[in-house]
Amino acid sequence: KDDKIVAVGYSISSNTNNENLTLVRFTKNGKLDESFGNGGLIVTEISNQKDIGESVAIQPDGKIISVGTTHHDPNFDIILVRYDEYGQLDPYFGLGGIVITDINSGLDIGKSLAIQNDGKLIVAGFTYSEDNFCMTLLRYDSNGKLDSTFAKSGIAITNINSRIGKLDLALQNDGKIILIGPSKVDNTHHFTVVRFNNNGSLDNSFGNNGITKTIIGDFSEAESVVVDSYGNIVVAGTTGLENQAFVVAMYNQTGILDPGFGLNGI
């Protein structure tokens, strides 16, 4: 509402050489907001090894939520961290503002975050299962507890020959969830779009049992997604076709490329 800009990532401690989750807030003019944290920065150490922020979202009440990954040897776990609008950890969220989720794979990675209209939090990430990286959705209530009404105890794991990479998600007006990311078949990398119902089940009315894969050259990777005002799903990423290039694909509500966009939807 105040046009300030919040970015998340990590910084390296000069004392411990550990990677710590870091928030930075800028004014609308691009200057560090010195009213936020320590001169515009907030550094949060969760483990004594590696804490990486990957995505950030702002609640309607101004609270800031970051998702990422913490590494406390030997496990990698998904982290959610919530701050108030001044950058203080929120004591009413998780344990002292922090939620750590271990899906029992040893390798769980948080990548992207969206806030539903009812305040519930949708997190996208990867978990290692069945000798594969699986796209994973988790839903939490507004206090940071896994939502038992979503998928299996709050977690939906989809094994579609994924490989680790970028992930993004978007929410449709009807509550359905769009998840995009990488998958690999026979050394060919695909744009992959998955749609879930609001309860965490795959939406069988979309693509092939909820999943659409698009081959664009020998290598293509989806990295970002939005749903436009007409309900079309717009996915951006990269392709190895004609050297390496940006690519945008538009899908309709059934998961089919829109022939009126670009060249056959691409």
Side-chain angles (χ1 to χ4, degrees):
K1 293 178 181 179
D2 57 9
D3 293 328
K4 291 182 178 179
I5 303 160
V6 179
V8 67
Y10 69 91
S11 58
I12 298 177
S13 168
S14 59
N15 295 323
T16 65
N17 209 36
N18 294 337
E19 294 155 298
N20 298 324
L21 188 151
T22 302
L23 285 181
V24 186
R25 191 163 76 184
F26 301 89
T27 67
K28 63 181 180 180
N29 297 320
K31 296 181 179 180
L32 283 172
D33 178 7
E34 295 188 358
S35 69
F36 184 76
N38 183 11
L41 287 80
I42 292 174
V43 177
T44 305
E45 183 176 13
I46 298 168
S47 73
N48 61 1
Q49 294 188 48
K50 181 182 293 189
D51 306 309
I52 304 293
E54 293 277 3
S55 183
V56 66
I58 312 298
Q59 294 185 176
D61 61 3
K63 290 183 178 179
I64 303 162
I65 303 177
S66 174
V67 67
T69 306
T70 184
H71 178 206
H72 43 93
D73 199 25
N75 291 331
F76 288 81
D77 294 329
I78 294 170
I79 49 171
L80 271 177
V81 187
R82 189 163 75 187
Y83 306 83
D84 66 22
E85 59 184 310
Y86 305 104
Q88 299 294 320
L89 286 168
D90 181 0
Y92 302 104
F93 184 79
L95 182 61
I98 300 168
V99 172
I100 300 175
T101 304
D102 179 4
I103 310 178
N104 297 320
S105 74
L107 185 55
D108 306 313
I109 299 172
K111 282 289 185 179
S112 189
L113 168 69
I115 303 173
Q116 293 187 169
N117 290 334
D118 60 3
K120 291 182 178 181
L121 311 173
I122 301 287
V123 168
F126 292 100
T127 190
Y128 195 75
S129 178
E130 301 175 21
D131 297 323
N132 219 338
F133 285 106
C134 299
M135 292 183 180
T136 303
L137 277 185
L138 307 92
R139 188 163 73 189
Y140 302 82
D141 66 22
S142 59
N143 294 319
K145 293 181 179 179
L146 283 168
D147 179 4
S148 61
T149 67
F150 183 80
K152 184 177 180 180
S153 302
I155 302 171
I157 297 175
T158 306
N159 189 344
I160 51 174
N161 299 108
S162 295
R163 65 179 190 84
I164 199 164
K166 301 285 187 180
L167 272 185
D168 196 19
L169 60 90
L171 305 180
Q172 295 187 174
N173 289 334
D174 60 4
K176 291 183 179 181
I177 304 160
I178 304 294
L179 175 63
I180 64 96
S183 63
K184 180 178 178 181
V185 179
D186 296 330
N187 293 319
T188 300
H189 298 188
H190 302 70
F191 257 39
T192 303
V193 185
V194 188
R195 190 163 73 188
F196 297 83
N197 296 307
N198 186 255
N199 64 5
S201 62
L202 286 169
D203 179 5
N204 292 328
S205 69
F206 183 83
N208 182 11
N209 296 319
I211 301 166
T212 290
K213 295 183 180 182
T214 304
I215 300 173
I216 308 170
D218 293 332
F219 173 91
S220 57
E221 184 163 312
E223 298 197 12
S224 184
V225 61
V226 294
V227 178
D228 73 12
S229 58
Y230 299 100
N232 297 310
I233 300 159
V234 184
V235 182
T238 56
T239 176
L241 192 63
E242 298 177 359
N243 203 353
Q244 190 165 14
F246 296 111
V247 60
V248 179
M250 179 181 285
Y251 302 84
N252 65 21
Q253 280 290 300
T254 63
I256 297 173
L257 285 166
D258 180 353
F261 180 80
L263 181 61
N264 298 320
I266 298 170

